Amino acid sequence: MRYFTLAGTLFLAATAATPALAKDITVHMRNQGAAGAMVFEPSFIKAKPGDVIHFVPTDPSHNAETIPTMLPPGVTPSKGAMNKEFVLPVKAPGLYGIKCMPHYSMGMVALVQVGDGPSPNLAAARAVKLPPFAAKRMTPMLAQAK
């Protein structure tokens, strides 16, 4: 009996000390992609809390930043520099709207869904007023979100 207790304790200690494996997810910022001009590829990203999203400028003249009105409650907006990788660690479940500021009016937006849903800010994200081309691209992404 003592062996089982010791083995069980050691197993629990070993598994509890092992951190969950976070994923690194890469999103490319492109001048031209499958969906047209000025796009993030992929534009709809599913992630888990703890994952890290890397927005990489494949072509020049892009940045990535969060849309302040399209974030889970308590998440602080953040902004990447022009022509630099923007790293977005996601911890809170919900929807994270992303834009390229220079090409926002041209529809360069992305949506990150963190967690399996329901997203606590889904209704609020759907109510955000976006520029017409950005709204045209964001609407199908929001339809996929939970």
Side-chain angles (χ1 to χ4, degrees), residues 34-113:
M38 306 306 166
V39 294
F40 290 101
E41 287 187 335
S43 60
F44 181 67
I45 302 98
K46 286 191 173 189
K48 297 203 178 303
D51 287 351
V52 179
I53 319 299
H54 299 264
F55 292 86
V56 179
T58 306
D59 297 315
S61 303
H62 299 294
N63 85 317
E65 59 187 80
T66 57
I67 300 172
T69 53
M70 198 178 280
L71 293 171
V75 174
T76 304
S78 54
K79 179 180 182 177
M82 287 295 297
N83 301 315
K84 301 286 184 194
E85 179 179 345
F86 173 58
V87 178
L88 179 67
V90 292
K91 292 186 173 100
L95 300 176
Y96 294 67
I98 307 294
K99 66 182 176 183
C100 169
M101 193 60 224
H103 304 111
Y104 184 40
S105 64
M106 296 175 73
M108 193 165 177
V109 293
L111 185 66
V112 179
Q113 177 184 323

